[in-house]
Protein backbone atom coordinates (compact mmCIF):
# COMPACT_ATOMS: atom_id res chain seq x y z
CA UNK A 1 0.00 0.00 0.00
CA UNK A 2 1.54 3.31 -1.09
CA UNK A 3 2.33 5.91 1.55
CA UNK A 4 2.08 9.69 1.33
CA UNK A 5 5.84 10.11 1.69
CA UNK A 6 7.82 10.58 -1.51
CA UNK A 7 10.87 8.35 -1.36
CA UNK A 8 14.30 9.56 -2.39
CA UNK A 9 15.35 7.45 -5.37
CA UNK A 10 19.09 6.93 -5.88
CA UNK A 11 21.08 5.06 -8.53
CA UNK A 12 20.82 1.75 -6.66
CA UNK A 13 17.02 2.11 -6.49
CA UNK A 14 16.98 2.89 -10.22
CA UNK A 15 18.99 -0.27 -10.87
CA UNK A 16 16.56 -2.31 -8.73
CA UNK A 17 13.60 -0.80 -10.57
CA UNK A 18 15.19 -1.57 -13.95
CA UNK A 19 16.00 -5.13 -12.95
CA UNK A 20 12.50 -5.97 -11.71
CA UNK A 21 10.94 -4.19 -14.69
CA UNK A 22 13.04 -6.44 -16.97
CA UNK A 23 12.32 -9.57 -14.91
CA UNK A 24 9.65 -9.38 -12.22
CA UNK A 25 10.59 -12.91 -11.13
CA UNK A 26 14.25 -12.19 -10.47
CA UNK A 27 15.40 -13.76 -7.20
CA UNK A 28 16.57 -11.53 -4.37
CA UNK A 29 19.99 -13.20 -4.62
CA UNK A 30 20.33 -12.39 -8.33
CA UNK A 31 18.94 -8.91 -7.79
CA UNK A 32 21.42 -8.27 -4.97
CA UNK A 33 24.29 -9.47 -7.19
CA UNK A 34 23.11 -7.22 -10.01
CA UNK A 35 22.95 -4.08 -7.84
CA UNK A 36 25.97 -4.86 -5.65
CA UNK A 37 24.26 -5.07 -2.25
CA UNK A 38 23.63 -7.81 0.31
CA UNK A 39 20.37 -9.73 -0.02
CA UNK A 40 18.99 -8.15 3.18
CA UNK A 41 19.80 -4.60 2.02
CA UNK A 42 18.30 -5.37 -1.41
CA UNK A 43 15.16 -6.85 0.19
CA UNK A 44 14.76 -3.78 2.37
CA UNK A 45 15.12 -1.39 -0.58
CA UNK A 46 12.68 -3.43 -2.67
CA UNK A 47 10.16 -3.45 0.20
CA UNK A 48 10.57 0.35 0.58
CA UNK A 49 9.97 0.88 -3.15
CA UNK A 50 6.82 -1.23 -2.94
CA UNK A 51 5.58 0.46 0.27
CA UNK A 52 6.04 3.93 -1.21
CA UNK A 53 4.17 3.00 -4.38
CA UNK A 54 7.18 3.24 -6.68
CA UNK A 55 6.77 -0.41 -7.66
CA UNK A 56 3.05 -0.95 -8.06
CA UNK A 57 3.06 -4.66 -8.77
CA UNK A 58 4.31 -7.54 -10.85
CA UNK A 59 2.56 -9.22 -13.75
CA UNK A 60 2.88 -11.95 -16.32
CA UNK A 61 2.73 -10.99 -19.98
CA UNK A 62 0.53 -13.54 -21.70
CA UNK A 63 0.47 -14.06 -25.45
CA UNK A 64 -2.91 -12.88 -26.79
CA UNK A 65 -2.46 -15.27 -29.74
CA UNK A 66 -2.37 -18.26 -27.40
CA UNK A 67 -5.61 -17.01 -25.83
CA UNK A 68 -7.17 -16.77 -29.29
CA UNK A 69 -7.24 -12.97 -29.29
CA UNK A 70 -5.05 -12.17 -32.28
CA UNK A 71 -7.02 -9.21 -33.66
CA UNK A 72 -5.54 -6.04 -32.14
CA UNK A 73 -7.44 -2.76 -32.50
CA UNK A 74 -7.14 0.79 -31.18
CA UNK A 75 -10.39 2.70 -30.87
CA UNK A 76 -10.95 6.39 -30.31
CA UNK A 77 -14.23 6.86 -28.42
CA UNK A 78 -16.37 9.97 -28.14
CA UNK A 79 -19.02 9.90 -25.41
CA UNK A 80 -22.63 10.87 -26.00
CA UNK A 81 -23.34 14.45 -24.87
CA UNK A 82 -24.33 14.37 -21.20
CA UNK A 83 -23.32 10.74 -20.77
CA UNK A 84 -22.29 9.71 -17.26
CA UNK A 85 -18.52 9.07 -17.36
CA UNK A 86 -18.78 6.61 -14.49
CA UNK A 87 -21.27 4.50 -16.50
CA UNK A 88 -18.99 4.58 -19.56
CA UNK A 89 -15.93 3.61 -17.53
CA UNK A 90 -17.86 0.84 -15.77
CA UNK A 91 -18.97 -0.49 -19.19
CA UNK A 92 -15.37 -0.37 -20.44
CA UNK A 93 -14.13 -2.22 -17.36
CA UNK A 94 -16.60 -5.05 -17.97
CA UNK A 95 -15.38 -5.81 -21.50
CA UNK A 96 -13.03 -8.81 -21.66
CA UNK A 97 -11.60 -7.66 -24.99
CA UNK A 98 -10.45 -4.27 -23.62
CA UNK A 99 -6.80 -4.58 -22.56
CA UNK A 100 -6.05 -0.88 -22.10
CA UNK A 101 -8.14 2.25 -21.68
CA UNK A 102 -7.15 5.87 -21.19
CA UNK A 103 -9.21 9.04 -20.71
CA UNK A 104 -7.71 11.89 -22.72
CA UNK A 105 -8.03 15.34 -24.17
CA UNK A 106 -8.72 16.08 -27.81
CA UNK A 107 -11.39 14.84 -30.22
CA UNK A 108 -11.76 11.51 -28.41
CA UNK A 109 -12.74 11.14 -24.78
CA UNK A 110 -11.17 7.69 -24.47
CA UNK A 111 -8.68 5.58 -26.36
CA UNK A 112 -9.20 1.83 -26.01
CA UNK A 113 -6.99 -1.06 -27.03
CA UNK A 114 -8.88 -4.25 -27.73
CA UNK A 115 -7.75 -7.81 -28.36
CA UNK A 116 -10.53 -9.72 -30.11
CA UNK A 117 -10.95 -13.24 -31.44
CA UNK A 118 -12.39 -12.05 -34.76
CA UNK A 119 -13.76 -9.09 -36.70
CA UNK A 120 -17.23 -10.32 -35.71
CA UNK A 121 -16.33 -9.95 -32.01
CA UNK A 122 -14.88 -6.48 -32.67
CA UNK A 123 -18.09 -5.52 -34.50
CA UNK A 124 -20.21 -6.82 -31.58
CA UNK A 125 -18.19 -4.74 -29.10
CA UNK A 126 -18.48 -1.61 -31.25
CA UNK A 127 -22.25 -2.06 -31.70
CA UNK A 128 -22.80 -2.70 -27.97
CA UNK A 129 -20.58 0.27 -27.10
CA UNK A 130 -22.89 2.57 -29.06
CA UNK A 131 -26.10 0.87 -27.96
CA UNK A 132 -25.50 0.50 -24.20
CA UNK A 133 -22.09 2.01 -23.41
CA UNK A 134 -22.93 5.72 -23.67
CA UNK A 135 -20.79 6.17 -26.77
CA UNK A 136 -21.71 8.50 -29.64
CA UNK A 137 -18.89 7.85 -32.07
CA UNK A 138 -15.85 5.62 -32.55
CA UNK A 139 -12.82 5.59 -34.80
CA UNK A 140 -11.27 2.15 -35.13
CA UNK A 141 -7.76 1.31 -36.31
CA UNK A 142 -6.52 -2.25 -36.77
CA UNK A 143 -2.98 -2.73 -35.46
CA UNK A 144 -0.69 -4.29 -38.06
CA UNK A 145 2.24 -4.72 -35.68
CA UNK A 146 3.56 -3.32 -32.43
CA UNK A 147 7.00 -1.78 -32.26
CA UNK A 148 9.41 -2.50 -29.44
CA UNK A 149 10.10 0.54 -27.28
CA UNK A 150 12.41 1.17 -24.35
CA UNK A 151 10.67 0.84 -20.97
CA UNK A 152 9.99 3.95 -18.93
CA UNK A 153 12.99 5.15 -16.98
CA UNK A 154 12.67 6.00 -13.32
Amino acid sequence: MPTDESPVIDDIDRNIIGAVRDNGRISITNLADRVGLSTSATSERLRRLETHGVILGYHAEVSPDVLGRSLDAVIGVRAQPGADRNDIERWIGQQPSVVEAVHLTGPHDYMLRLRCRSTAELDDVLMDMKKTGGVADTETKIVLRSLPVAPDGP
Side-chain angles (χ1 to χ4, degrees):
M1 175 175 296
T3 66
D4 291 337
E5 296 177 36
S6 293
V8 175
I9 305 293
D10 63 15
D11 288 341
I12 294 173
D13 291 329
R14 284 183 185 83
N15 288 337
I16 290 171
I17 293 165
V20 298
R21 186 178 45 222
D22 292 343
N23 178 4
R25 296 182 62 162
I26 190 170
S27 72
I28 289 296
T29 302
N30 288 341
L31 183 57
D33 288 344
R34 184 165 167 177
V35 300
L37 293 177
S38 68
T39 55
S40 61
T42 302
S43 292
E44 179 56 36
R45 279 180 178 255
L46 186 60
R47 206 171 11 260
R48 182 177 54 82
L49 291 168
E50 292 167 345
T51 300
H52 287 285
V54 176
I55 296 175
L56 299 175
Y58 304 87
H59 74 279
E61 187 173 348
V62 179
S63 169
D65 295 337
V66 171
L67 299 177
R69 295 187 169 277
S70 58
L71 179 63
D72 193 359
V74 178
I75 303 171
V77 174
R78 192 170 44 84
Q80 292 175 354
D84 185 329
R85 303 294 178 180
N86 291 326
D87 290 342
I88 294 171
E89 291 174 14
R90 190 171 15 267
W91 183 91
I92 290 169
Q94 295 171 349
Q95 305 310 306
S97 59
V98 175
V99 296
E100 184 177 9
V102 294
H103 183 234
L104 26 96
T105 61
H108 297 109
D109 298 304
Y110 297 93
M111 189 65 66
L112 309 179
R113 185 146 194 182
L114 277 67
R115 293 301 300 231
C116 298
R117 291 182 179 90
S118 64
T119 55
E121 180 184 7
L122 176 60
D123 185 48
D124 288 345
V125 172
L126 291 170
M127 298 300 265
D128 188 55
M129 186 183 302
K130 292 175 182 173
K131 183 177 178 184
T132 65
V135 170
D137 187 44
T138 62
E139 181 179 343
T140 303
K141 307 284 186 185
I142 302 297
V143 175
L144 300 176
R145 65 187 165 104
S146 293
L147 307 177
V149 294
D152 296 344

